[in-house]
Amino acid sequence: MSVVVHEPTIDGSTIECEVTPPKRLRRFFTGDPFRVEYDVDMTSLSPEIAVIPALAHVCPVAWANGIDVRVPTIDATFLDALEDVRAVLRRMYPTFIEGGEIRASEVVDARADRSPAEFDDSGLLFSGGIDSVASYVRHHDEEPTLISVQGWVVGVEQDDRWDGARRQIDEFAADRGLDVQNIRSNMKSCLDMPMLQAHYKRYVDGAWYSSVGHGLGLVALCAPLSDALGLDTIHIASSHTAEFDQPWGSHPDIDDKVRWAYTEGNHDGYELSRQEKIDLIADYVRSESQPFPIRTCVHDERGGNCNECEKCYRTMCGMVLAGLDPNRFGYEMDERTFVRVRESLERQAFVMDDHTVFHWRDIQNHTGRNRDVPVDGATEFFEWLATVDIDEITESASEPAHLKLVRAGARIVPYPVYKSLYPVYGMLKNGALLKR
């Protein structure tokens, strides 16, 4: 029994791979071929490199079910990388990552016809948020190619929202003389993410992609691009530090092992907490740059920041603590914002997972610093935050019971039944989020 990832087809800048899962895994795939589009022509790309993005997204699903993956051809270096990542995920998630072999008809050394001298530039996965901006600051001397991905936080069908986010990235790059490369992929709609969530949410802290797949998946999306542009390193910004003791899909043990031909991933900034990254950005702005938009929100339909979700609140608080005025970085904030943040935390208005609590604790740990705060109401807020029990005020609000019931049902009902009921689940979930 195997998942089959078929020979990739290339049409200009678009790569497509048909994926055929066995019956047992069919519920985790939507039936759409895996598709990824680039800004550069990929016609001359070899199949062992072209297939890498699809394999990176299919393999974790197969490993979670102990199923082999069959593929016509694979790069030898990437095959070794997959085996290394599989071992890491099995250590992280021993309760459900069972393993599975990669069975290729042909293993090819993609380095055979290339020279390492052709690969002397770097790329940086870049969303315009705190983590990726901090990684740019750390590597700005390299003048890395900024790589944005539509299909990750912003879906492939959300073009208006993506246009807003992309404009900010383009402006950031233009002001610094950097190249931007855009990737558009259906990696989260080729896989049935709601079904994966229904089956594995009980084992992971966040969603399937963030908790299991996104380090391997996002770095591997850049494989065809690295071949075309000669990138020897793909930087992916860290989410946490070593103090975060929960499994997560992007981690040095994963990202630093992702490699193909003459290119390798680099999990960047793991030694810096989120607040320390904001401090790094603050120092960069004071010494080398004018303020620029920072985009951290996942809710605003215009591609900007909504200014009222948990992540917007958390980011604005961190920026003020670093001496930055969020109003100069694409946010809207005044003294009333701190009142709303405190009220939201005290009544536990946000559904938080462990990694979100980790970042609030990081802010609390830095409240003792002596620094001028540029927004009214900040001093009183940080004095309050410094004294509260962070675990108590950030305790996760309970997910509505009817959503848990529907998700549990998805694990046991036949797939055709669940598929017919999923639109109802979507309406229930959206209604619950709107109420929050």
Side-chain angles (χ1 to χ4, degrees), residues 265-323:
N266 173 51
H267 185 89
D268 185 67
Y270 191 57
E271 68 274 24
L272 299 177
S273 73
R274 183 176 175 84
Q275 190 58 45
E276 290 169 337
K277 290 178 180 180
I278 296 175
D279 291 341
L280 182 69
I281 294 169
D283 291 341
Y284 169 70
V285 171
R286 293 186 188 102
S287 63
E288 299 187 46
S289 174
Q290 295 296 314
F292 46 83
I294 290 178
R295 185 183 68 88
T296 56
C297 186
V298 298
H299 301 295
D300 186 71
E301 294 301 321
R302 301 163 298 174
N305 298 305
C306 75
N307 301 294
E308 57 186 20
C309 68
E310 181 276 327
K311 194 170 185 181
C312 279
Y313 282 162
R314 171 163 41 97
T315 303
M316 287 189 282
C317 289
M319 293 177 74
V320 173
L321 193 58

Side-chain angles (χ1 to χ4, degrees), residues 128-144:
I130 294 297
D131 293 334
S132 61
V133 170
S135 284
Y136 166 72
V137 173
R138 286 164 55 87
H139 295 281
H140 70 276
D141 288 344
E142 298 176 18
E143 298 184 346

Side-chain angles (χ1 to χ4, degrees), residues 175-224:
D175 289 345
R176 291 157 182 80
L178 303 174
D179 182 31
V180 177
Q181 291 291 326
N182 299 284
I183 299 176
R184 187 173 187 267
S185 178
N186 70 340
M187 74 273 196
K188 289 179 68 178
S189 54
C190 169
L191 299 177
D192 192 324
M193 289 297 173
M195 183 59 78
L196 287 165
Q197 190 72 352
H199 277 252
Y200 299 106
K201 174 60 181 173
R202 51 188 164 159
Y203 301 121
V204 300
D205 184 45
W208 166 270
Y209 200 62
S210 56
S211 297
V212 180
H214 80 281
L216 170 63
L218 291 175
V219 175
L221 277 178
C222 302

Side-chain angles (χ1 to χ4, degrees), residues 12-249:
S13 60
T14 300
I15 300 171
E16 192 170 283
C17 281
E18 294 283 348
V19 179
T20 304
K23 184 177 180 180
R24 178 179 160 190
L25 265 63
R26 204 171 297 160
R27 65 174 58 208
F28 298 126
F29 294 85
T30 62
D32 295 336
F34 183 94
R35 186 179 303 106
V36 57
E37 304 168 28
Y38 300 91
D39 287 343
V40 295
D41 185 80
M42 295 293 174
T43 304
S44 61
L45 188 68
S46 60
E48 66 271 13
I49 298 295
V51 77
I52 286 176
L55 277 174
H57 288 84
V58 169
C59 282
V61 180
W63 296 335
N65 292 273
I67 300 296
D68 293 345
V69 177
R70 292 191 178 276
V71 63
T73 184
I74 189 171
D75 170 48
T77 303
F78 188 64
L79 176 59
D80 291 341
L82 287 176
E83 292 172 347
D84 290 343
V85 172
R86 179 186 58 200
V88 173
L89 288 175
R90 288 190 73 174
R91 291 197 300 271
M92 283 187 174
Y93 296 111
T95 54
F96 72 92
I97 296 291
E98 301 178 31
E101 299 299 322
I102 312 299
R103 303 192 180 279
S105 302
E106 183 181 23
V107 178
V108 179
D109 185 356
R111 298 172 299 179
D113 297 324
R114 306 293 295 270
S115 164
E118 299 176 51
F119 296 83
D120 58 359
D121 290 319
S122 65
L124 167 63
L125 284 157
F126 191 83
S127 66
I130 294 297
D131 293 334
S132 61
V133 170
S135 284
Y136 166 72
V137 173
R138 286 164 55 87
H139 295 281
H140 70 276
D141 288 344
E142 298 176 18
E143 298 184 346
T145 296
L146 304 186
I147 304 170
S148 64
V149 178
Q150 182 184 6
W152 177 21
V153 176
V154 180
V156 290
E157 74 287 351
Q158 297 173 310
D159 286 334
D160 290 342
R161 185 175 167 194
W162 179 246
D163 287 344
R166 182 173 170 175
R167 278 195 298 272
Q168 292 184 4
I169 295 172
D170 287 345
E171 290 172 6
F172 183 93
D175 289 345
R176 291 157 182 80
L178 303 174
D179 182 31
V180 177
Q181 291 291 326
N182 299 284
I183 299 176
R184 187 173 187 267
S185 178
N186 70 340
M187 74 273 196
K188 289 179 68 178
S189 54
C190 169
L191 299 177
D192 192 324
M193 289 297 173
M195 183 59 78
L196 287 165
Q197 190 72 352
H199 277 252
Y200 299 106
K201 174 60 181 173
R202 51 188 164 159
Y203 301 121
V204 300
D205 184 45
W208 166 270
Y209 200 62
S210 56
S211 297
V212 180
H214 80 281
L216 170 63
L218 291 175
V219 175
L221 277 178
C222 302
L225 198 61
S226 71
D227 188 87
L229 302 182
L231 308 179
D232 63 4
T233 304
I234 303 297
H235 300 294
I236 178 171
S238 62
S239 301
H240 309 110
T241 66
E243 294 179 5
F244 184 73
D245 59 359
Q246 299 295 317
W248 196 247

Side-chain angles (χ1 to χ4, degrees), residues 27 194-202 399-414 418 421 425:
R27 65 174 58 208
M195 183 59 78
L196 287 165
Q197 190 72 352
H199 277 252
Y200 299 106
K201 174 60 181 173
R202 51 188 164 159
E399 183 182 43
H402 58 276
L403 295 187
K404 294 179 181 178
L405 182 62
V406 173
R407 195 172 63 233
R411 297 196 293 268
I412 58 176
V413 302
Y418 174 78
L421 291 176
Y425 170 73

Side-chain angles (χ1 to χ4, degrees), residues 351-410:
V351 177
M352 296 196 198
D353 48 26
D354 289 343
H355 92 104
T356 309
V357 176
F358 178 80
H359 292 315
W360 276 108
R361 187 177 291 110
D362 179 35
I363 294 174
Q364 185 186 51
N365 290 340
H366 286 83
T367 54
R369 64 177 55 184
N370 294 317
R371 177 170 287 177
D372 292 335
V373 288
V375 180
D376 292 340
T379 299
E380 294 79 5
F381 173 80
F382 290 126
E383 288 175 350
W384 165 80
L385 186 64
T387 62
V388 299
D389 184 335
I390 199 71
D391 291 318
E392 181 178 341
I393 66 169
T394 56
E395 181 179 341
S396 295
S398 178
E399 183 182 43
H402 58 276
L403 295 187
K404 294 179 181 178
L405 182 62
V406 173
R407 195 172 63 233

